[in-house]
Amino acid sequence: MYFHPAEESDLVQYLNEEVEDYFVALSGEQIIGSGGVNYFPAEIKARISWDIIDTDFQGKGIGRLLVEHRLAVIQRRADINTVEVRTSQIAHGFYYKMGFSLGSVEKDYWAKGFDLYRMRYSLFGK
Protein backbone atom coordinates (compact mmCIF):
# COMPACT_ATOMS: atom_id res chain seq x y z
CA MET A 1 0.00 0.00 0.00
CA TYR A 2 1.55 3.28 -1.14
CA PHE A 3 -1.01 5.64 0.40
CA HIS A 4 -2.55 5.52 3.85
CA PRO A 5 -6.36 5.07 3.71
CA ALA A 6 -6.76 8.39 5.57
CA GLU A 7 -5.28 10.15 2.52
CA GLU A 8 -8.30 9.33 0.33
CA SER A 9 -10.05 12.58 1.28
CA ASP A 10 -6.84 14.48 0.41
CA LEU A 11 -6.91 12.94 -3.08
CA VAL A 12 -10.57 13.88 -3.55
CA GLN A 13 -9.82 17.47 -2.47
CA TYR A 14 -6.82 17.59 -4.82
CA LEU A 15 -8.84 16.41 -7.80
CA ASN A 16 -11.76 18.73 -7.04
CA GLU A 17 -9.91 21.89 -6.01
CA GLU A 18 -6.16 21.84 -6.62
CA VAL A 19 -5.33 19.97 -9.83
CA GLU A 20 -3.77 22.02 -12.65
CA ASP A 21 -2.59 19.32 -15.07
CA TYR A 22 -3.54 15.68 -14.64
CA PHE A 23 -2.55 12.82 -16.92
CA VAL A 24 -3.81 9.26 -17.20
CA ALA A 25 -2.24 6.17 -18.73
CA LEU A 26 -4.59 3.83 -20.56
CA SER A 27 -4.49 0.22 -21.62
CA GLY A 28 -7.27 0.11 -24.16
CA GLU A 29 -10.06 1.95 -22.37
CA GLN A 30 -8.87 1.01 -18.87
CA ILE A 31 -7.16 3.64 -16.73
CA ILE A 32 -4.00 2.00 -15.42
CA GLY A 33 -2.18 5.01 -14.01
CA SER A 34 -2.41 8.70 -13.31
CA GLY A 35 -0.49 11.64 -11.92
CA GLY A 36 -0.76 15.39 -11.54
CA VAL A 37 1.30 18.55 -11.82
CA ASN A 38 0.98 21.86 -10.00
CA TYR A 39 2.96 24.98 -10.88
CA PHE A 40 4.52 27.56 -8.58
CA PRO A 41 6.03 30.17 -10.97
CA ALA A 42 6.89 32.58 -8.16
CA GLU A 43 9.17 29.83 -6.78
CA ILE A 44 10.24 28.71 -10.32
CA LYS A 45 9.14 25.16 -9.48
CA ALA A 46 6.51 22.57 -10.27
CA ARG A 47 5.32 19.67 -8.14
CA ILE A 48 4.32 16.28 -9.44
CA SER A 49 1.83 14.50 -7.24
CA TRP A 50 -0.59 11.67 -6.71
CA ASP A 51 1.20 9.11 -8.86
CA ILE A 52 -1.09 6.10 -8.87
CA ILE A 53 -0.46 2.92 -10.87
CA ASP A 54 -2.88 -0.01 -10.99
CA THR A 55 -1.26 -2.86 -9.03
CA ASP A 56 -1.60 -5.19 -12.04
CA PHE A 57 0.62 -2.80 -14.05
CA GLN A 58 3.25 -1.90 -11.44
CA GLY A 59 6.80 -2.76 -12.42
CA LYS A 60 6.01 -2.50 -16.14
CA GLY A 61 7.33 1.02 -16.78
CA ILE A 62 4.00 2.87 -16.58
CA GLY A 63 5.13 5.01 -13.63
CA ARG A 64 8.36 5.88 -15.40
CA LEU A 65 6.46 6.91 -18.54
CA LEU A 66 4.10 9.10 -16.52
CA VAL A 67 6.98 10.85 -14.75
CA GLU A 68 8.94 11.29 -17.99
CA HIS A 69 5.88 12.71 -19.73
CA ARG A 70 5.22 15.23 -16.97
CA LEU A 71 8.87 16.27 -16.84
CA ALA A 72 8.75 16.89 -20.60
CA VAL A 73 5.57 18.98 -20.22
CA ILE A 74 7.07 20.96 -17.34
CA GLN A 75 10.35 21.51 -19.17
CA ARG A 76 8.50 23.40 -21.93
CA ARG A 77 7.69 26.15 -19.45
CA ALA A 78 10.19 28.99 -19.24
CA ASP A 79 9.10 29.89 -15.70
CA ILE A 80 10.04 26.54 -14.07
CA ASN A 81 13.52 25.15 -13.38
CA THR A 82 12.93 22.67 -10.54
CA VAL A 83 10.45 19.87 -10.00
CA GLU A 84 9.65 18.51 -6.58
CA VAL A 85 7.78 15.48 -5.39
CA ARG A 86 6.54 14.79 -1.90
CA THR A 87 6.45 11.04 -1.38
CA SER A 88 6.96 8.42 1.29
CA GLN A 89 9.68 5.95 2.21
CA ILE A 90 7.75 3.38 0.20
CA ALA A 91 8.22 5.12 -3.18
CA HIS A 92 11.24 7.38 -2.71
CA GLY A 93 13.58 4.81 -4.32
CA PHE A 94 11.58 5.01 -7.55
CA TYR A 95 12.03 8.79 -7.74
CA TYR A 96 15.71 8.46 -6.86
CA LYS A 97 16.13 6.16 -9.88
CA MET A 98 14.33 8.80 -11.96
CA GLY A 99 17.00 11.38 -11.06
CA PHE A 100 15.38 13.08 -8.06
CA SER A 101 17.55 13.90 -5.06
CA LEU A 102 16.45 13.75 -1.44
CA GLY A 103 15.94 17.09 0.27
CA SER A 104 14.49 16.15 3.66
CA VAL A 105 12.52 13.55 5.60
CA GLU A 106 9.72 14.13 8.12
CA LYS A 107 8.67 11.10 10.15
CA ASP A 108 4.96 10.12 10.31
CA TYR A 109 3.94 13.12 8.15
CA TRP A 110 1.20 11.51 6.05
CA ALA A 111 0.08 9.14 8.83
CA LYS A 112 1.77 6.93 11.42
CA GLY A 113 4.38 4.90 9.55
CA PHE A 114 4.15 7.06 6.40
CA ASP A 115 7.08 9.47 6.35
CA LEU A 116 7.38 12.49 4.05
CA TYR A 117 10.33 12.45 1.66
CA ARG A 118 10.81 15.78 -0.11
CA MET A 119 12.70 15.22 -3.36
CA ARG A 120 13.85 17.56 -6.12
CA TYR A 121 14.73 17.31 -9.79
CA SER A 122 16.61 20.09 -11.59
CA LEU A 123 15.62 20.78 -15.17
CA PHE A 124 18.78 21.23 -17.21
CA GLY A 125 19.28 24.23 -19.44
CA LYS A 126 17.11 26.58 -17.38
Side-chain angles (χ1 to χ4, degrees):
M1 178 184 309
Y2 291 90
F3 297 100
H4 190 275
E7 293 180 84
E8 183 177 343
S9 62
D10 294 339
L11 174 59
V12 171
Q13 178 182 340
Y14 174 79
L15 292 172
N16 288 331
E17 300 174 21
E18 300 171 23
V19 71
E20 291 184 68
D21 280 338
Y22 204 75
F23 301 94
V24 297
L26 300 172
S27 177
E29 295 183 13
Q30 178 187 357
I31 296 174
I32 60 171
S34 61
V37 180
N38 290 87
Y39 304 97
F40 305 88
E43 301 171 52
I44 57 173
K45 74 177 182 182
R47 180 182 300 139
I48 62 172
S49 54
W50 290 107
D51 292 356
I52 302 170
I53 305 299
D54 183 308
T55 54
D56 291 339
F57 290 88
Q58 289 177 0
K60 297 181 180 182
I62 306 304
R64 174 175 289 280
L65 289 173
L66 271 170
V67 171
E68 288 173 347
H69 177 74
R70 287 179 289 162
L71 290 174
V73 168
I74 294 165
Q75 197 158 21
R76 290 186 213 128
R77 292 182 58 131
D79 59 343
I80 305 294
N81 69 8
T82 303
V83 180
E84 72 174 18
V85 64
R86 300 181 311 159
T87 190
S88 72
Q89 73 275 18
I90 300 165
H92 85 282
F94 166 77
Y95 294 103
Y96 181 77
K97 286 189 238 174
M98 294 292 304
F100 286 76
S101 60
L102 181 61
S104 65
V105 176
E106 191 173 332
K107 188 151 181 61
D108 296 331
Y109 178 86
W110 306 109
K112 182 142 180 75
F114 287 79
D115 304 339
L116 167 63
Y117 279 60
R118 287 185 179 92
M119 302 185 77
R120 301 178 70 84
Y121 181 94
S122 294
L123 298 172
F124 302 111
K126 295 244 180 171

